[in-house]
Amino acid sequence: MLQLRLAAIVLCIGAAFVLDDAATETVESSPTPLLFRRALRVALVLPLVAALWAPLLWYADASAPLSLTLELGAMLAVTLAAAALATGVVPDGRGGLAAGPTLLVLLGAAALALPARWTLFAGDPHDPRWTGSHQRWALILALGAVGFLFASLDPGRSRLWNR
């Protein structure tokens, strides 16, 4: 189980670089919204992540593949949200450089700071904390998706709250 979670972290750190774009300044003025451009990049990398994740689950003979895939999805959402947020801060728009360490810091803080009853890393499906931890993973997935959407809004476009 630990090896699969470490593999999920490695996949997420690799996927963080999908939002790095050297042509960002060139295509900023295009009529295609930033959200569409980023969503397209994510849609192209998701099959690759799935193609790498499926054999890992099969080889490890995971007892709860859907739950572990939820963990991967939540970590991926947080990583992509961090990369999207960091593209405006990191020089040359290389948000992937900040997303990997962000994921590691957040996971480390969750492992060290959360009480045992709120753990994200329940040992196995027979652990009584398993269901609760995966409910938290689902919440993290939703928050990561919202963060990605928020960070991918066009900065020059007028917002409803600005009108």
Side-chain angles (χ1 to χ4, degrees):
M1 192 86 52
L2 175 64
Q3 293 85 359
L4 279 173
R5 288 178 171 147
L6 291 175
I9 292 169
V10 170
L11 284 173
C12 291
I13 290 173
F17 292 94
V18 73
L19 298 180
D20 291 357
D21 186 10
T24 300
E25 293 175 5
T26 306
V27 297
E28 276 179 341
S29 61
S30 73
T32 308
L34 178 62
L35 179 59
F36 179 80
R37 294 192 311 263
R38 286 185 176 171
L40 183 62
R41 288 171 168 264
V42 170
L44 291 173
V45 82
L46 284 179
L48 177 62
V49 171
L52 293 170
W53 183 245
L56 289 172
L57 285 173
W58 175 79
Y59 181 74
D61 196 25
S63 58
L66 292 178
S67 297
L68 293 171
T69 302
L70 173 65
E71 292 180 19
L72 169 69
M75 286 188 264
L76 188 60
V78 167
T79 305
L80 292 174
L85 286 168
T87 54
V89 179
V90 176
D92 296 329
R94 305 282 188 232
L97 291 174
T102 300
L103 176 67
L104 293 175
V105 165
L106 290 175
L107 291 176
L112 295 174
L114 289 177
R117 66 180 184 275
W118 290 358
T119 186
L120 290 175
F121 306 105
D124 61 8
H126 304 295
D127 189 336
R129 302 172 299 174
W130 183 265
T131 303
S133 72
H134 286 87
Q135 290 170 349
R136 287 183 284 282
W137 279 113
L139 177 65
I140 291 169
L141 174 64
L143 291 174
V146 168
F148 175 78
L149 290 172
F150 180 75
S152 297
L153 295 175
D154 280 319
R157 187 177 173 137
S158 67
R159 308 264 190 267
L160 180 62
W161 56 82
N162 288 343
R163 292 184 189 164

